[in-house]
């Protein structure tokens, strides 16, 4: 075919799945617009995913990862009389151990409580 592009999709437009596609004859502005829209699906945006085993940087002011919290929860539960300790006391021990602010503890409270519940369930299943 004379004058037909060498690639099977339009320079700018939507493919059959409704995704924006781009070609080599687009202007820089068009390429930027297309690359911005490719990762967006309505209200959702694709986020980069770390490969398995990659060390993730903490987004929290203390720098403490979720894995570190879970590990410390496991240590506390393993060395404490479970008949006398409360979730609040576990969270207080976490705060003291890591030097975590009360604002961060409040923001991460649900995760810490889930770690406690998970650890207790694992111990009960192995008993």
């Amino acid at each position: 075919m004379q004058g037909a592009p060498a690639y099977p999709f339009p320079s700018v437009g939507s493919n059959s799945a409704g995704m924006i596609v781009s070609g080599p004859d687009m202007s820089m502005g068009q390429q930027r617009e297309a690359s911005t829209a490719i990762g967006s699906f309505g209200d959702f945006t694709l986020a980069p995913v770390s490969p398995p085993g990659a060390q993730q940087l903490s987004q929290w002011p203390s720098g403490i990862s979720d894995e570190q919290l879970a590990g410390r929860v496991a240590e506390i539960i393993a060395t404490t009389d479970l008949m006398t300790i409360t979730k609040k006391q576990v969270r207080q021990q976490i705060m003291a151990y890591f030097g975590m602010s009360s604002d961060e503890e409040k923001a991460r409270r649900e995760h810490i409580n889930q770690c406690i519940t998970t650890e207790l369930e694992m111990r009960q299943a192995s008993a």
Side-chain angles (χ1 to χ4, degrees):
M1 257 164 108
Q2 287 277 346
Y7 44 90
F9 48 86
S11 293
V12 176
S14 298
N15 65 12
S16 62
M19 295 184 66
I20 295 175
V21 294
S22 61
D25 60 341
M26 290 174 46
S27 72
M28 289 302 286
Q30 289 171 321
Q31 288 177 358
R32 246 191 319 272
E33 183 179 329
S35 68
T36 302
I38 287 173
S40 300
F41 299 99
D43 292 337
F44 301 99
T45 301
L46 298 176
V49 177
S50 299
Q55 186 177 21
Q56 294 182 343
L57 299 176
S58 177
Q59 63 182 349
W60 300 100
S62 64
I64 302 159
S65 70
D66 288 348
E67 291 79 18
Q68 289 173 302
L69 283 177
R72 184 63 187 153
V73 166
E75 290 173 14
I76 292 169
I77 289 176
T79 59
T80 305
D81 179 6
L82 299 179
M83 299 303 287
T84 61
I85 195 164
T86 64
K87 285 184 177 183
K88 181 178 180 178
Q89 291 170 330
V90 172
R91 289 193 309 268
Q92 289 171 338
Q93 287 186 33
I94 295 284
M95 286 177 59
Y97 184 83
F98 289 115
M100 185 185 297
S101 71
S102 61
D103 288 339
E104 184 176 343
E105 184 272 331
K106 285 177 188 172
R108 299 179 82 175
R109 183 174 294 165
E110 187 176 324
H111 175 72
I112 296 169
N113 286 342
Q114 183 58 49
C115 290
I116 294 167
T117 301
T118 300
E119 188 63 30
L120 290 172
E121 287 172 353
M122 287 184 352
R123 291 188 178 278
Q124 186 176 15
S126 67

